[in-house]
Amino acid sequence: MSAVADRPQVKYPFEFDGRWVLRYHVPYTVRHEGLPHRIVATVFAQPSVHGRIQVSCEGRPPVEYDGLTAGDTVEITGDTWRVAEVDYRTRVVLERATDADEEETSVHAGE
C-alpha cells in the first residue's frame, strides 16, 4: 500500500479543531459526492465589514452567500458552518455549527 492510501481522506483538509479559516481570495477545493467544489471568500469594507463565500462545482450553478457577519450560518457541501469572524481583506473564519446555531440565524444563498 502506498503512503497516500494509508492516510485517511478528510472532506475539509483545511479544518482545524472545528474551525476553517478561509483566506481572502484563496481558492479551496473540497471533494463532495465525488466532485471537486471550489470555495472562495471575499471580504468587503462598505457599507460595513462583511464577507462573501462563493461555492462552485463544474456542471452545477454556483452558490453565493453574501453579507456575511459573525453569527451567520452557511451550508457548504452539505455541512452547516457558523461565521465566527470576518476580518477585512484577510479572512472569514468558520466554525462547525450546532443545531442551536442553525435555529437562531442563517443566511440563504443569493441574499
Side-chain angles (χ1 to χ4, degrees):
M1 261 191 154
S2 72
V4 172
D6 292 340
R7 286 188 296 197
Q9 297 297 311
V10 295
K11 184 174 181 181
Y12 302 102
F14 313 101
E15 178 185 3
F16 184 74
D17 285 340
R19 290 172 63 98
W20 184 10
V21 178
L22 297 172
R23 299 282 176 199
Y24 176 78
H25 273 220
V26 173
Y28 295 86
T29 301
V30 173
R31 292 201 68 80
H32 178 64
E33 297 178 346
L35 298 170
H37 291 69
R38 183 177 169 184
I39 294 94
V40 178
T42 308
V43 182
F44 303 93
Q46 298 296 325
S48 62
V49 175
H50 68 281
R52 175 186 297 147
I53 296 175
Q54 296 170 315
V55 182
S56 59
C57 179
E58 188 175 319
R60 296 183 182 178
V63 175
E64 185 172 279
Y65 299 97
D66 200 6
L68 297 173
T69 58
D72 289 335
T73 58
V74 297
E75 182 198 329
I76 299 175
T77 62
D79 297 313
T80 304
W81 297 87
R82 184 181 65 78
V83 177
E85 301 172 35
V86 178
D87 297 324
Y88 179 60
R89 295 190 66 101
T90 306
R91 64 191 185 160
V92 174
V93 180
L94 302 176
E95 294 178 328
R96 289 267 181 193
T98 64
D99 290 337
D101 291 333
E102 293 177 47
E103 292 173 10
E104 287 178 22
T105 180
S106 66
V107 173
H108 300 283
E111 285 189 352

